[in-house]
Every structure is written in C-alpha cells, then in structure tokens.
Amino acid sequence: FNIVAGAAASIEFCQQPGDGVSMESLGNQPCLAIRDAVGNLVSTSYTVTLSLYQGTGALYGTLSKTTNGGWANFTDISVDLIGSKQLSAVTNVGGLSTVSSAFNIVAGAAARLLFVTQPTKSSPVNVAFATQPMVRAEDAGGNLAIGYSGAVTMVLSTGTGALAGTVTVNAVAGFADFAGAGLKVNTAGTGKMVDATATGLTAARSATFDITAAPLTLTFTTKPANTTSMTSLSAAVTIYMNGVKQTSATSTISLAMTSGTGTLTGTTTVNAVAGVATFSGLKVDLAGTKVITATLLDVTASPYSCTFTVTVGAASKLVFATSPPNPSIVGVAFNPQPVVQVTDLGGNIVTSPQYTVAIALYSGTGTLGGTKSMKTTSGIANFVGKGMSISATGDKVLRATATGLTAGTSAVFTVTAARRLMAETEAVELEVVDNGSNGTDGFLSF
C-alpha cells in the first residue's frame, strides 16, 4: 500500500540566507521546504513569497517561487542597504510563514556620486560660495562607499561663465568635501548647476543656483606722483568687481580735484580700454596737498580718491600782484605803488633766488618817474615808497622785467589831469541866543 504526505502544516528554511554585499546576490540563496505534520515534503504546488522582515532597505530579485516536490529554491535575492537583516517566507495558501536567521549586508564598491551639501543658492559674481559643496561616493545600493578615496572634480555644467577655485579634491572615507576650496563663478546668471565627476563613477548634478552681479569698484593702479607745479602727471584707474579686473569694461572715467586749491587741467575724461582708463598730460597749477577723485560716468560705482603733493616749480615769470590805481593823477605818486611777484608757471611765488625787477612804461605816453628798479625779497618786489608816477594823461600799462624771467604787465590804468578846487562864497547868518537858547534879537552875518 502507499502512504502519501498529509496536508501542508509548516514551512521552513532548509538553507538560510547568507551574508552578502549590497545589490549583489546573497552568498547563500534561501531555500524553503513545505512539510506535513510529521515532516514529509508536500508535493502539492505552493507559491512562496519572500520579504524583508527585519532591517532597513529593499529586497531585490525574484521574490516569489512555486514549489517543486515541496522545495522552493531562490537564486538571485539581494538587498540594497547595509546592516543586519532577516527574511520572512509566506505561502499563498494556508498562510504558512517562517522567519530566517539573521544575515549581514556590507557596502559594495563605489558606483556613483551624490551631493550631500549644495552650493549656496545665490552668490555674487567672483565671490566664493558661502556654503561650499560636499559629495559622497555610494555603492549601487546607495550605501556610503567608505573606502573610496578617489579624486572628485567639480565642473560648471549649466549656465555661462567659468568655475574657479580648487575644483578637484580627494575623497576621504567616501566624502569629497570642498569646504575651503573657494569655488566661485565669474559670470552673473540664473539657473546654474555644477556636476561632481570622478573616473568610473556616475556623476552627480547639483541643484540650481544663481550668480548675481556685484558693484564695480575703482582703484588707482597708477597714482599721480608728487611733482612740481604745471609738470605733467600720469594716472591709471582700473575697474574691478569683487577684486577681479574687468578686462571687458569700456566705461567712461572722469578725474576731478576734490580737495586742495588750484585747477586740474588736461584730458580729465577718458574711456577705459580692457578695464583700464589711462590719463596723461594732467597738470595742477597751485602748490599744496591735493586729492584727486575718479568717478565712473556711465555705471554706478563708488568714487575712488588718492592724495599727492604739488610743490613750487622753478621761477618762470613776473606777475603784477598790485597794479597802479585806476584812475591815477598825473604827476602824483601812485597810491598804492606797484607790487611784483616772481612766480613759477602755475603762479606760485618763488622765494629764491633773488632777482632785480625793473619797471618801465610799456604802453601810453609820458615819463615814468620815481625809483623804478629794486631787488626782490622772498620773491616779491614791493615798490611802496618808491614814488612812481606818470607825467602825462591817458591810458597806460607798466611792464616789469628781470633777467631770465618772462616779463609781466600791469592792468590798464588811466592817468587824469589834476582837479582844481573852486571856493565859492556864500552868506552865512547866525542867530545869537542866551544859555537857555532864547533869542536875543541879535544876528551875526559873514
């Protein structure tokens, strides 16, 4: 006679799952048997389904098998996340179930990169991201590839401009940390992205970020040198943005003297070439400390200033500091008398050496009388008390000369004839009063 297996009463792991590597088939694939109450294999077909009973992650492979002679053999089961796991097996009929013994999953080889820290969402042009990116290497299951130490390189993948800074770092324990790398982008724009790349690994792409335009600044890359009055000066002003020279800038830059006396002459407004405005042939007349300020005329930027000193130049000319009064009277000494200064080209008084200054009638008729020649004292010939006068009426101009200097002329003045004073006699009558101002009926006539 023949004895067959009874009804299915239990399911058991006849081979427990073995330890494995993330996303790789387990070293020992699970095998299950369905038995009756006394342990005989049940030949009736059942479907056995595996699931992850304990531990994180997901189970991969063919998770359901139909029994054959009571056996369910699994061949391609794998788990993504690392750690200790257990499987459960459940039949489709009868609700039989069992749980495996524990097994362990470890990380696999590095397969891809992932951003764990994104670049700052918005940064100015040429300013390092306030938050520098960090990426990690992962195996195929998304576990940290802690053993990875390869080189990771950042590249600007979306948007215009160039990525600057230390763009390549080596991973340490699976992490490539760009803190301190100074990554920045040199062109403004929105929606930029960077890719993290490494040989043999799938690249990672960052979230989008924006680069905003920064204000322009000016700097005197060539400052005016200390010099003498009316001597040519040179200057160069460079346009920067966040410390980077703007080689494409062609803005108009103007120079002005914003402190100190005198006048700045020459070409004071020029267009920048490759970010640099070059000035030449500038001159300042009066001596002293000056401040010159550069200003962008067509773009908003803060003015920039520098200081230099102008000193008195060599003696060049004579200047009438005081001309004869207008009008003057014929034959009468001028009041005031002429004062003549020795100056440089800019009009600054030159105190030495001493010069002999002679004054003569330059325009108009008559004779110039008085003392007409004297030596300078500290650059000044003051003819006070020298009694200079003109013998004829009319418009006149005086001329001052000294050896080696350009002559100076006075202002035009007019000499007029002497005025006669005419005495006119008028009758005057005075009333005589007492001490109390009372009339006494007396009068005095003149």
Side-chain angles (χ1 to χ4, degrees):
F1 58 96
N2 187 41
I3 303 297
V4 297
S10 66
I11 183 172
E12 63 182 28
F13 278 92
C14 53
Q15 177 166 287
Q16 296 287 341
D19 294 341
V21 176
S22 168
M23 297 306 293
E24 296 182 12
S25 294
L26 298 177
N28 290 325
Q29 291 289 312
C31 174
L32 290 110
I34 296 178
R35 299 181 185 276
D36 63 14
V38 294
N40 298 301
L41 290 170
V42 176
S43 59
T44 303
S45 295
Y46 287 86
T47 298
V48 179
T49 300
L50 296 178
S51 63
L52 196 61
Y53 176 74
Q54 181 271 328
T56 58
L59 200 60
Y60 292 86
T62 303
L63 304 182
S64 295
K65 287 282 189 177
T66 300
T67 59
N68 182 9
W71 304 102
N73 292 299
F74 292 84
T75 59
D76 61 353
I77 300 302
S78 63
V79 182
D80 55 359
L81 300 187
I82 62 174
S84 178
K85 319 289 178 183
Q86 285 180 285
L87 301 181
S88 69
V90 179
T91 61
N92 64 324
V93 176
L96 303 177
S97 65
T98 188
V99 175
S100 74
S101 59
F103 61 97
N104 192 51
I105 301 297
V106 297
R112 65 192 184 198
L113 296 173
L114 178 74
F115 276 88
V116 292
T117 303
Q118 299 286 345
T120 305
K121 180 62 178 175
S122 181
S123 302
V125 166
N126 284 316
V127 173
F129 305 140
T131 301
Q132 294 285 306
M134 179 190 291
V135 298
R136 77 177 202 165
E138 295 182 341
D139 64 14
N143 303 289
L144 174 66
I146 196 168
Y148 183 72
S149 59
V152 177
T153 300
M154 291 287 177
V155 295
L156 186 66
S157 57
T158 303
T160 57
L163 183 67
T166 303
V167 297
T168 299
V169 301
N170 290 325
V172 177
F175 286 95
D177 189 354
F178 286 80
L183 296 181
K184 57 189 177 182
V185 178
N186 67 351
T187 304
T190 59
K192 298 181 188 292
M193 290 186 281
V194 291
D195 284 357
T197 63
T199 301
L201 305 187
T202 300
R205 177 157 291 180
S206 74
T208 60
F209 58 90
D210 300 332
I211 300 298
T212 59
L216 297 175
T217 58
L218 301 176
T219 298
F220 277 97
T221 44
T222 301
K223 295 183 178 181
N226 295 337
T227 188
T228 55
S229 169
M230 299 306 290
T231 300
S232 290
L233 297 167
S234 296
V237 180
T238 301
I239 303 171
Y240 286 90
M241 180 184 291
N242 288 325
V244 177
K245 180 181 176 181
Q246 299 301 290
T247 55
S248 62
T250 57
S251 300
T252 302
I253 297 178
S254 177
L255 295 184
M257 195 164 68
T258 53
S259 179
T261 58
T263 302
L264 177 68
T265 57
T267 302
T268 57
T269 299
V270 300
N271 292 327
V273 176
V276 180
T278 302
F279 298 83
S280 60
L282 301 174
K283 296 179 181 180
V284 178
D285 51 1
L286 301 187
T289 299
K290 318 294 176 184
V291 175
I292 195 170
T293 300
T295 304
L296 269 173
L297 297 185
D298 52 355
V299 181
T300 300
S302 298
Y304 187 80
S305 302
C306 69
T307 301
F308 62 100
T309 300
V310 176
T311 55
V312 177
S316 173
K317 60 185 178 180
L318 296 176
V319 175
F320 273 85
T322 303
S323 293
N326 185 28
S328 295
I329 299 173
V330 68
V332 176
F334 305 139
N335 184 20
Q337 291 283 297
V339 177
V340 178
Q341 297 173 340
V342 179
T343 72
D344 61 13
L345 286 173
N348 303 287
I349 296 176
V350 180
T351 58
S352 64
Q354 190 176 58
Y355 289 89
T356 298
V357 176
I359 293 181
L361 185 61
Y362 181 64
S363 175
T365 59
T367 301
L368 180 64
T371 301
K372 300 180 287 293
S373 176
M374 67 176 296
K375 293 184 179 296
T376 58
T377 300
S378 298
I380 298 175
N382 189 344
F383 286 83
V384 63
K386 301 304 181 183
M388 274 190 278
S389 64
I390 297 286
S391 64
T393 61
D395 293 338
K396 317 293 179 184
V397 176
L398 301 184
R399 184 171 187 258
T401 59
T403 301
L405 302 181
T406 300
T409 54
S410 71
V412 177
F413 60 98
T414 301
V415 177
T416 62
R419 295 165 59 187
R420 292 184 179 180
L421 298 177
M422 303 298 294
E424 295 184 359
T425 302
E426 295 183 359
V428 178
E429 186 177 80
L430 301 178
E431 181 182 6
V432 180
V433 299
D434 62 16
N435 288 335
S437 299
N438 300 303
T440 59
D441 297 328
F443 293 89
L444 297 175
S445 298
F446 295 88

